[in-house]
Amino acid sequence: MKNLLLTLILLFSVIVSAQKKIYRGEREKVNSLVHTKLKVDFNFEESQMNGEAWITLTPYFYPTNKVILDAKAFKIYEVKINNTTASYNYSDNKLTIELDKTYKKGEKYTVYIKYIANPEKVKQKGSTTITEAKGLYFIDPKEEDPNKPTQIWTQGETEASSCWFPTIDAPNQKTTQEIYMTVPSKFVTLSNGTLKSQTKNNNGTRTDYWEMTQKHAPYLFFMGVGDFSIVKDSWNGKEVNYYVEPEYKDVAATIFGNTPEMMTFFSEITGIPYVWDKYSQIVVRDYVSGAMENTTAVVHGEDAQQKKGQLIDANAWEETIAHELFHHWFGDLVTTESWSNLTVNESFATYSVYLWYEYKYGKDKANAHMYDDIQVYLESQSEDKNLVRFYYEDKEHMFDPVSYHKGSAILHMLRDYLGDDAFFQGLNYYLTTHKFGTAEAQELRLAFEEVSGKDLNWFFNQWYFGNGHIKLNVTYDYNTIIGTVTININQLGNIFKFPLSIDIYEGNRTLRHNVWIDGRQNSFTFPINKMPKLINIDAKHVLLAEITDIKTLENYMYQFNNAPHYLDRRVAIQEIAKQQTNKEAFNTIIKALNDPYYEIRILALENIDLFQKYYKKEAILKIEKLAQFDSKTLVRAAALGVLGKLVEPIYKPLFERGMHSESYAIIGSSLISLYQIDKQAAVTKVNSLSDGTKEYLADAITTIYIGEKDKTKLPFIAKHVLKGMFFNSNKRTQQLYSEAFKWISESDNKEAINNLTNNFVELGLQYKKYNFDKMAVNMLNQLVYAQQQSANSNKEELILILKTGMAKLIE
């Protein structure tokens, strides 16, 4: 499952302070699922589902005369075994059924269960004492909210499918399926597999029959119901469909249109063509995560639906689309046997984004993405966690920056060590060996060993079954008499074994040295003809490492101009920007404005200091050109922002033209820049925008509203402040919204406090898995205290609103 944004996972990853030492292995397999047949219809008034289930099973190995199914918050009406009434016991969300005889391995039997699923009554508590995921979600079922469509959707991972159908709810089970879904005729449906038939009923409903003939895990079952436009695409003769709200029909192909090319690419690199019968993606409201890889029926949260003005700047959901698709190899085709081994699902899906970007857009884009991923892990305080964890406190805690981001970086290191041919053939061997089955990390190791002939226990022991990451302190000893440099590499913390690439630049030549690090103290002496211009440690930038060494400004300038990797240029610009009073340093920042990769151009724009004396005119001319002609709208927007800081009226026509752009980034930047020189014109423009457009320009408009100190705009700001604080990676934007949050929290504006509280509740429930609900409760409690200390005449009314929000999160 992809977890929305990098910053989301970072902020809300669970840090377990006192783990209970309970071994969390693969669930014992007493019976094996064979086939699941469901007939369901929905009670919209009560948010319930009426169900009939036919579950076919067989003993896994030993003979058995009973079966235990997971069934959470059900009302059971009838249970049969092979059409004969059966004795059963239902307690603690477990349905224990006495079979009609003792069955041996290979003998099949079918359990029939008639039941009502009550998702609103699911109260199974996890380690956080917060209500667990309820599996089946009714969105505005009574059609009471004019701003929200009526929908039904399911979410199975980790073990919530048993909230809507009886099953053995474990990742090491695989089953084929049939689902008959009866819904109001006005709605469309989506489920796993193929839509085989649709039957109109006499009562205004329709029954859709979906069949899945290939085995997959119960947590990957999916149902979706609602008013969706279906935009059709295809791949190699298979249906590829995009289910979106009608408003987004015209941009669905822009959002999801790379899907067929991704399917081709992933099929080629794994050597296994996409095996499933179709591929559909659906966008739903109030989704509880970012997206989910339900087999052939991927579900996305509503942020996937973007306007044309957003998509012109960047498709913010492209990485999620790639992530969920690659799960159809790693996660759906071959599934982790236990949540302890989640890495064999999530690390691969996360790494797929790097692979896709590398193929589609080049190494700079891929390496920039890897850098961001690694930063998420490094800042997550997760050094004490193994990648494979058999002693986690709660299975939900496995969905963290270690399983995702660190795991992706580890795969990148393994790929570099093995080489591309062995790495991708190893993937093929692993997938082929365990196709339609389950696996664990050790079996991944065995696959790579089988292909490469290399022993990889050392790699897996330190990276999969150990914790932490490489930390190096590097010093240099130069001997100019004999012409050598000794590089001293001191490991801090855990001691890792790894190959290290070192580039020594001597002006007109660059020498690559590959060494092995296997101890705490390591020294290597190399001949040099003259004093190096630069020594680049981990020159390939493949290590999951923090490396400390001392470089001069001259080293960094040389690095920017000569070292080839994205990170070489990024790090150099960040360091050079600190010393722009140096003429050559400032000139290097100007040069970075022409970098071939747009994120480096943006980085240079964000860091350039135009208030010093060197080359100012030349720099401004370049920024003016970028603002008007750069191929990337995000670069043009950043350039407009820089020009706005100059507060020069000469740029007013440029900013006014920018506000007519199709790009939301350019419009927003133009608004803020215009506000610097003509506040009234900017405010007038904001007031002329439709409410819908304002929502997509929230950052810019909030900046202006804060500048105006207009309390009447607090309700608008309150609707966006939490996403600005917690779901945005830009530190300046975070600071802006933090100031706005303080302003709102101290105000007596009832509508603003209500909007903020509702936003806390909505996001808290949506991202409960990442403990945002607990954070929301704490912050609301702080707001209650602030109001208690205030002199606001209506503070009791405001406190009641805040406490009501807290109660919704706690209940």
Side-chain angles (χ1 to χ4, degrees):
M1 184 188 299
K2 183 69 174 72
N3 294 297
L4 194 64
L5 296 174
L6 302 180
T7 50
L8 171 60
I9 302 178
L10 165 62
L11 286 164
F12 312 133
S13 61
V14 180
I15 301 171
V16 182
S17 58
Q19 286 187 334
K20 299 177 182 178
K21 294 296 182 181
I22 300 175
Y23 178 74
R24 311 287 188 176
E26 178 183 15
R27 188 189 291 198
E28 182 180 3
K29 290 177 280 191
V30 177
N31 288 281
S32 294
L33 294 172
V34 176
H35 183 68
T36 301
K37 177 182 174 181
L38 304 173
K39 290 186 177 181
V40 303
D41 62 77
F42 304 96
N43 183 335
F44 288 82
E45 286 295 317
E46 302 295 333
S47 292
Q48 296 175 338
M49 187 191 82
N50 305 307
E52 293 180 278
W54 291 261
I55 313 297
T56 302
L57 308 99
T58 187
Y60 181 77
F61 185 82
Y62 298 104
T64 186
N65 61 2
K66 69 176 181 179
V67 62
I68 300 175
L69 300 177
D70 298 295
K72 300 184 177 87
F74 284 8
K75 182 175 182 179
I76 306 293
Y77 284 104
E78 188 177 11
V79 178
K80 294 181 178 180
I81 299 292
N82 297 330
N83 296 319
T84 301
T85 300
S87 299
Y88 67 90
N89 177 66
Y90 180 52
S91 62
D92 297 326
N93 293 325
K94 299 285 186 181
L95 179 60
T96 302
I97 304 170
E98 301 296 328
L99 304 182
D100 55 341
K101 68 171 190 174
T102 297
Y103 286 83
K104 298 179 180 179
K105 180 179 180 179
E107 291 184 316
K108 298 178 183 178
Y109 61 90
T110 298
V111 176
Y112 167 78
I113 303 158
K114 187 175 183 180
Y115 64 98
I116 291 179
N118 296 286
E120 301 304 319
K121 295 183 179 180
V122 174
K123 296 293 182 182
Q124 181 178 358
K125 292 184 178 180
S127 60
T128 59
T129 72
I130 299 294
T131 303
E132 273 206 0
K134 53 191 178 182
L136 176 65
Y137 295 81
F138 288 78
I139 308 303
D140 192 29
K142 300 179 184 179
E143 301 186 9
E144 297 169 323
D145 187 343
N147 298 313
K148 191 171 291 185
T150 297
Q151 296 176 349
I152 297 172
W153 46 264
T154 62
Q155 168 59 32
E157 195 176 42
T158 50
E159 296 174 8
S161 285
S162 51
C163 296
W164 61 278
F165 68 94
T167 189
I168 302 175
D169 207 348
N172 63 351
Q173 292 283 340
K174 293 288 181 89
T175 173
T176 53
Q177 75 179 67
E178 300 171 84
I179 299 183
Y180 293 82
M181 301 166 58
T182 298
V183 300
S185 296
K186 63 182 179 179
F187 293 139
V188 300
T189 69
L190 176 64
S191 189
N192 316 91
T194 301
L195 179 59
K196 303 295 288 187
S197 67
Q198 295 183 295
T199 304
K200 290 184 178 181
N201 304 313
N202 294 328
N203 60 352
T205 65
R206 186 189 70 253
T207 300
D208 291 355
Y209 169 43
W210 293 86
E211 182 183 35
M212 181 79 171
T213 60
Q214 296 156 304
K215 296 190 300 180
H216 66 150
Y219 77 85
L220 296 168
F221 278 41
F222 177 75
M223 295 188 302
V225 179
D227 178 16
F228 298 98
S229 292
I230 305 174
V231 178
K232 295 185 178 296
D233 208 335
S234 66
W235 179 82
N236 285 7
K238 296 184 177 184
E239 284 191 9
V240 175
N241 296 329
Y242 317 128
Y243 290 64
V244 296
E245 293 176 31
E247 179 184 353
Y248 295 90
K249 179 180 180 180
D250 292 340
V251 292
T254 306
I255 298 168
F256 298 107
N258 280 334
T259 299
E261 186 178 356
M262 289 179 181
M263 295 171 78
T264 297
F265 172 65
F266 292 149
S267 296
E268 289 176 350
I269 64 171
T270 60
I272 297 178
Y274 179 83
V275 301
W276 310 97
D277 57 356
K278 73 149 189 319
Y279 191 69
S280 292
Q281 298 175 83
I282 187 170
V283 184
V284 302
R285 291 290 189 98
D286 295 351
Y287 186 52
V288 292
S289 186
M292 178 65 204
E293 64 271 16
N294 310 301
T295 315
T296 77
V298 167
V299 61
H300 295 278
E302 62 196 85
D303 285 344
Q305 293 180 146
Q306 302 159 77
K307 292 291 189 177
K308 182 180 179 181
Q310 296 169 283
L311 293 165
I312 287 172
D313 298 325
N315 183 353
W317 217 252
E318 184 172 5
E319 66 179 80
T320 306
I321 293 167
H323 181 114
E324 305 307 332
L325 174 57
F326 204 56
H327 265 311
H328 281 68
W329 285 263
F330 293 90
D332 296 6
L333 183 61
V334 180
T335 308
T336 180
E337 68 173 24
S338 68
W339 301 119
S340 296
N341 281 275
L342 183 65
T343 177
V344 299
N345 288 12
E346 295 300 347
S347 299
F348 278 104
T350 305
Y351 189 51
S352 74
V353 182
Y354 179 95
L355 296 172
W356 168 250
Y357 283 169
E358 182 183 35
Y359 156 78
K360 183 68 174 176
Y361 305 110
K363 285 190 176 294
D364 279 345
K365 175 72 170 177
N367 290 329
H369 175 76
M370 180 61 73
Y371 170 80
D372 288 339
D373 271 9
I374 289 175
Q375 295 312 300
V376 171
Y377 159 69
L378 291 177
E379 296 176 24
S380 68
Q381 304 178 40
S382 300
E383 285 188 49
D384 61 336
K385 296 180 180 180
N386 293 2
L387 186 56
V388 177
R389 275 165 274 165
F390 290 105
Y391 292 94
Y392 58 76
E393 184 180 6
D394 186 273
K395 58 187 178 294
E396 305 300 332
H397 297 172
M398 290 299 299
F399 295 81
D400 66 1
V402 175
S403 296
Y404 286 72
H405 306 83
K406 183 182 182 182
S408 172
I410 289 170
L411 288 172
H412 192 51
M413 289 189 292
L414 183 59
R415 175 188 172 190
D416 177 75
Y417 174 69
L418 294 174
D420 277 8
D421 287 346
F423 180 78
F424 290 112
Q425 286 181 41
L427 300 190
N428 176 270
Y429 187 90
Y430 169 82
L431 292 169
T432 301
T433 303
H434 304 287
K435 192 174 184 179
F436 295 112
T438 62
E440 59 173 308
Q442 294 287 17
E443 288 164 313
L444 181 65
R445 172 182 63 81
L446 292 172
F448 283 122
E449 289 182 341
E450 179 67 25
V451 167
S452 69
K454 294 178 180 290
D455 175 79
L456 293 173
N457 276 291
W458 65 271
F459 185 93
F460 276 72
N461 285 344
Q462 66 184 10
W463 289 115
Y464 280 75
F465 301 101
N467 59 31
H469 57 274
I470 298 166
K471 295 181 180 180
L472 304 179
N473 184 57
V474 183
T475 60
Y476 308 96
D477 294 324
Y478 297 96
N479 190 324
T480 56
I481 297 175
I482 63 174
T484 62
V485 59
T486 298
I487 302 174
N488 307 299
I489 299 173
N490 181 31
Q491 284 206 65
L492 309 175
N494 294 349
I495 297 177
F496 289 85
K497 174 183 177 182
F498 56 93
L500 177 68
S501 58
I502 302 173
D503 281 356
I504 300 179
Y505 292 79
E506 293 184 6
N508 60 351
R509 72 169 186 164
T510 304
L511 296 177
R512 165 69 56 84
H513 300 281
N514 295 305
V515 300
W516 270 89
I517 306 296
D518 56 10
R520 188 167 297 282
Q521 301 284 346
N522 305 265
S523 294
F524 305 92
T525 300
F526 304 108
I528 55 174
N529 294 329
K530 56 184 177 180
M531 196 69 174
K533 296 285 188 180
L534 173 70
I535 298 178
N536 205 2
I537 305 298
D538 186 25
K540 292 190 289 184
H541 296 288
V542 296
L543 296 179
L544 177 56
E546 293 180 280
I547 301 173
T548 302
D549 64 352
I550 298 174
K551 291 179 181 177
T552 65
L553 175 61
E554 288 70 24
N555 291 150
Y556 281 120
M557 290 189 292
Y558 188 90
Q559 177 173 307
F560 177 82
N561 288 307
N562 295 276
H565 198 278
Y566 161 80
L567 279 179
D568 293 321
R569 309 198 309 280
R570 178 188 177 92
V571 171
I573 287 298
Q574 288 174 320
E575 294 300 321
I576 293 166
K578 299 173 184 177
Q579 303 183 56
Q580 291 183 63
T581 54
N582 179 288
K583 187 175 182 179
E584 191 176 350
F586 184 71
N587 195 42
T588 304
I589 299 291
I590 295 176
K591 183 176 179 180
L593 297 174
N594 293 328
D595 194 90
Y597 184 55
Y598 79 96
E599 287 193 51
I600 296 294
R601 301 198 295 276
I602 292 174
L603 184 66
L605 287 164
E606 289 175 342
N607 286 277
I608 195 166
D609 178 10
L610 293 178
F611 299 96
Q612 53 73 53
K613 59 185 178 181
Y614 302 114
Y615 301 113
K616 180 174 180 179
K617 185 175 181 180
E618 178 187 348
I620 291 175
L621 286 173
K622 283 194 173 184
I623 294 169
E624 288 173 354
K625 288 182 179 180
L626 290 176
Q628 297 175 82
F629 306 117
D630 195 274
S631 60
K632 289 286 187 179
T633 56
L634 292 175
V635 175
R636 286 155 58 192
L640 287 165
V642 174
L643 295 177
K645 293 174 184 177
L646 296 176
V647 197
E648 290 284 354
I650 191 175
Y651 294 121
K652 182 176 179 180
L654 180 62
F655 302 149
E656 289 176 331
R657 287 198 302 273
M659 288 187 291
H660 295 287
S661 172
E662 290 184 308
S663 158
Y664 284 161
I666 290 176
I667 295 172
S669 188
S670 297
L671 268 175
I672 294 174
S673 295
L674 179 64
Y675 184 74
Q676 305 300 319
I677 58 176
D678 190 339
K679 288 181 169 53
Q680 187 55 51
V683 171
T684 300
K685 178 62 179 178
V686 168
N687 292 337
S688 71
L689 297 173
S690 68
D691 289 342
T693 301
K694 286 179 181 178
E695 295 296 318
Y696 296 103
L697 299 172
D699 291 350
I701 293 174
T702 297
T703 300
I704 293 172
Y705 284 166
I706 291 175
E708 289 295 289
K709 302 294 184 183
D710 186 350
K711 290 185 177 182
T712 66
K713 305 303 182 184
L714 282 176
F716 174 88
I717 299 172
K719 289 193 294 183
H720 303 280
V721 68
L722 295 183
K723 284 196 173 183
M725 290 171 65
F726 299 118
F727 294 73
N728 192 300
S729 59
N730 186 292
K731 294 190 184 305
R732 292 176 182 174
T733 302
Q734 291 174 358
Q735 183 179 0
L736 170 73
Y737 278 105
S738 294
E739 294 171 2
F741 179 83
K742 186 174 184 297
W743 188 19
I744 296 167
S745 65
E746 296 173 349
S747 80
D748 61 355
N749 190 308
K750 179 181 176 181
E751 185 180 358
I753 294 294
N754 191 61
N755 286 350
L756 179 61
T757 303
N758 289 340
N759 205 4
F760 266 123
V761 172
E762 179 183 353
L763 296 175
L765 295 176
Q766 187 173 356
Y767 301 113
K768 180 182 295 185
K769 178 175 285 189
Y770 312 110
N771 267 13
F772 190 64
D773 55 340
K774 297 177 76 174
M775 178 184 286
V777 169
N778 288 335
M779 293 185 72
L780 285 169
N781 196 42
Q782 292 173 20
L783 293 179
V784 168
Y785 178 79
Q787 286 294 334
Q788 288 172 338
Q789 304 304 309
S790 75
N792 295 332
S793 60
N794 62 341
K795 64 181 181 181
E796 294 302 325
E797 186 179 15
L798 301 180
I799 289 170
L800 179 60
I801 292 172
L802 294 166
K803 287 187 174 181
T804 301
M806 291 170 62
K808 290 179 180 178
L809 288 165
I810 293 171
E811 69 181 7

